[in-house]
Amino acid sequence: MSNDLANAVDRSAFFVGGDWVPPAGTERVDVLEAATGTAFGSAALAGPADVDAAVAAAGDALHGPWGATTGAERATVMRRLAAALKTRAKDTAALVSRENGMPRSLSIGANGFSPPLMLDYYAGLAEGLDADDVRSGMLARVRVRRGPVGVVAAVTPWNYPQALAAMKIAPALAAGCTVVLKAAPETALDAYVWADAALEAGLPPGVLNIVPGGREAGAHLVAHPGVDKVAFTGSTAAGRAIGEVCGRLLRPVTLELGGKSAALLAEDADLDAFLTALPEVSLANNGQTCHACTRILAPRGRYDEIVDAITDTVRSLPVGDPLDKQTRIGPLVSAAQRDRVLGLVTAGRDAGGRVTTGGAVPAGQERGWFVEPTVFAGVDNDSAIAREEVFGPVLCVLPYDDTDDAVRIANDSEYGLGGTVWTTDLDRGQAIADRIRSGTVGINHYALDVLGPFGGVKASGLGRELGPEGLAPYVDLKSVYLTPESR
């Protein structure tokens, strides 16, 4: 680890108004290494007074020089910020892996290089916001003005902390908004990489403010009168609570929530291709991924074959230190998360499910928060293990009778975030994908792309991030009606 991050594992101040500001209170959190359970750093946790200071700084910046910038000027700053993050990418990836157990092979892309990529992409869109849009109507000429929606509360979880922060920060800055980032306590340390990069890039004071904190800080931020928009990623339960607050306040909100996605293997599916992709599609980040395809739908005539093949593949995945390049399954983020996952596995067994591999703490890996990658067979879609979001390395293989039955099972979920269809007939795959009620579906693979809007339906959330659609929630529209002769 570089000296920059080695010296950053103890964070005693918040990044507010472009400077390091001591906390108003004394609450701190020890950040524990997921692979060992031992503390390797600590950070101050924000209280209401710290949130107030961050929101005030963001408001001052919004109404100061930043609020008067052109899209082209913001794009220049954003590209400097992207460059500063890119120089830290590998170290950032390692830091996140220590915090939440994500295998470094995944973290390098998700937490290292995707944030600068998103900043560069939205910098390009920011330049397009400068164009004047004048429309000739029936009664008047209409000038449509695009401005920032205001101060953004970005509330992010611990599972993909850098990428999920970038999905909010990048479009917000492009639109001319200012941001208060409330990071999760479990990944409080890596949040400050944004602060270090902002200082290096010369981001104007108050444009980005960093205040890690717990639920109290998050609730105070979401309801703060100085906030104009909320962008949240996290659990469906928390999203419902935030949605209620924002609804009462008539405050715009984007909610990216939970999932229980299905991988639908058609009769003609290339099983080897699915097995090759399974670790990324169904077990990414040790299962701590909202869009993971943890329900695998297999045609009844191939059910035993598919269960056996998935079992062999999952059993072969190397489990271990997330910093080891060979590791495919690392530890979970915390003891509480490990115990929750093991509790759901026990409940699945007690309900009659058959565990074909896994289901326990790996032998010799009692330190840290490891859970063996686990496969359930012999369960139906009504069982709790097939309906609840486990957020761990646990898969269910469910049989279906025909395509209509498979689509029915895929849609029989309170969630609708991700999904995949596996077939050698791409036209058939597209037709099936169109019938799945979900915000995103992959055909013979699954990969988020910055160009494509990402988000869910039903209990998986409201709104979209990424793509040009991800910029729209941060842009305020004003129609100026001109007389026909106005210039």
Side-chain angles (χ1 to χ4, degrees):
M1 185 171 293
S2 73
N3 289 333
D4 186 28
L5 288 182
N7 294 330
V9 293
D10 291 295
R11 296 286 195 172
S12 300
F14 303 121
F15 184 66
V16 174
D19 203 356
W20 299 109
V21 176
T26 59
E27 188 177 4
R28 297 184 63 80
V29 63
D30 286 333
V31 179
L32 307 181
E33 188 151 15
T36 65
T38 58
F40 74 100
S42 65
L45 290 183
D50 304 301
V51 170
D52 290 345
V55 173
D60 290 343
L62 179 71
H63 299 295
W66 182 255
T69 55
T70 65
E73 290 168 339
R74 294 193 297 275
T76 297
V77 176
M78 291 172 66
R79 290 185 176 113
R80 291 202 304 264
L81 180 60
L85 287 173
K86 191 176 294 185
T87 63
R88 295 164 166 79
K90 292 182 179 179
D91 286 341
T92 302
L95 178 58
V96 174
S97 292
R98 296 181 73 187
E99 291 173 312
N100 70 5
M102 180 185 292
R104 193 177 183 188
S105 57
L106 172 62
S107 191
I108 285 175
N111 296 298
F113 289 104
S114 74
L117 183 151
M118 284 186 246
L119 283 164
D120 283 334
Y121 171 74
Y122 280 104
L125 295 187
E127 292 171 326
L129 293 176
D130 291 336
D132 207 20
D133 185 359
V134 179
R135 307 170 187 176
S136 295
M138 295 178 63
L139 301 177
R141 295 169 68 247
V142 183
R143 175 176 173 260
V144 180
R145 177 193 176 277
R146 292 174 174 82
V149 74
V151 174
V152 174
V155 182
T156 54
W158 44 259
N159 61 327
Y160 288 80
Q162 290 285 311
L164 293 171
M167 288 165 72
K168 297 157 183 57
I169 293 170
L173 297 187
C177 299
T178 57
V179 180
V180 177
L181 173 64
K182 202 292 290 179
E186 294 88 346
T187 50
L189 298 179
D190 76 86
Y192 285 107
V193 174
W194 283 94
D196 296 334
L199 286 171
E200 179 181 317
L203 198 68
V207 171
L208 176 61
N209 306 274
I210 313 289
V211 284
R215 293 182 180 180
E216 180 187 14
H220 188 70
L221 176 61
V222 164
H224 200 287
V227 165
D228 299 295
K229 175 189 165 48
V230 174
F232 171 77
T233 299
S235 72
T236 294
R240 285 195 170 106
I242 290 170
E244 288 179 6
V245 171
C246 291
R248 175 172 52 82
L249 296 173
L250 298 180
R251 178 166 296 166
V253 61
T254 303
L255 301 171
E256 195 271 284
L257 309 177
K260 189 73 175 181
S261 302
L264 193 162
L265 276 64
E267 285 279 2
D268 66 341
D270 183 336
L271 184 54
D272 288 339
F274 173 70
L275 296 174
T276 299
L278 184 148
E280 288 74 34
V281 169
S282 299
L283 292 169
N285 195 17
N286 320 319
Q288 299 174 136
T289 299
C290 52
H291 57 72
C293 291
T294 55
R295 292 184 298 149
I296 300 171
L297 312 188
R300 200 174 294 277
R302 298 182 65 186
Y303 184 74
D304 290 341
E305 170 202 0
I306 290 172
V307 168
D308 289 345
I310 290 172
T311 299
D312 290 343
T313 297
V314 171
R315 185 184 291 128
S316 71
L317 297 175
V319 180
D321 183 351
L323 297 180
D324 187 329
K325 293 181 179 179
Q326 303 305 312
T327 293
R328 302 302 297 274
I329 303 293
L332 301 185
V333 69
S334 66
Q337 184 66 11
R338 176 202 59 196
D339 294 346
R340 178 182 178 276
V341 170
L342 290 174
L344 288 169
V345 170
T346 298
R349 276 195 173 112
D350 292 345
R354 176 168 58 93
V355 173
T356 64
T357 188
V361 173
Q365 290 178 321
E366 289 75 18
R367 293 183 72 217
W369 303 304
F370 292 90
V371 172
E372 292 174 324
T374 302
V375 177
F376 271 92
V379 297
D380 60 36
N381 200 51
D382 292 329
S383 63
I385 197 68
R387 299 196 75 82
E388 293 189 32
E389 185 179 35
V390 176
F391 229 59
V394 179
L395 309 179
C396 296
V397 188
L398 310 172
Y400 69 83
D401 295 321
D402 55 25
T403 299
D404 288 343
D405 189 40
V407 171
R408 179 191 63 79
I409 294 171
N411 289 336
D412 182 17
S413 170
E414 69 171 316
Y415 299 106
L417 184 58
T420 53
V421 178
W422 300 83
T423 176
T424 54
D425 183 339
L426 295 183
D427 290 337
R428 180 187 187 192
Q430 183 66 62
I432 294 173
D434 289 346
R435 297 176 62 189
I436 295 175
R437 192 168 178 227
S438 178
T440 63
V441 182
I443 299 177
N444 294 332
H445 82 132
Y446 187 94
L448 271 68
D449 192 292
V450 70
L451 291 176
F454 174 75
V457 299
K458 300 187 282 186
S460 289
L462 299 170
R464 294 293 182 268
E465 297 182 306
L466 300 179
E469 294 83 0
L471 177 60
Y474 299 91
V475 176
D476 184 54
L477 298 176
K478 177 187 291 186
S479 291
V480 180
Y481 302 120
L482 308 171
T483 59
E485 64 274 10
S486 298
R487 296 288 182 236

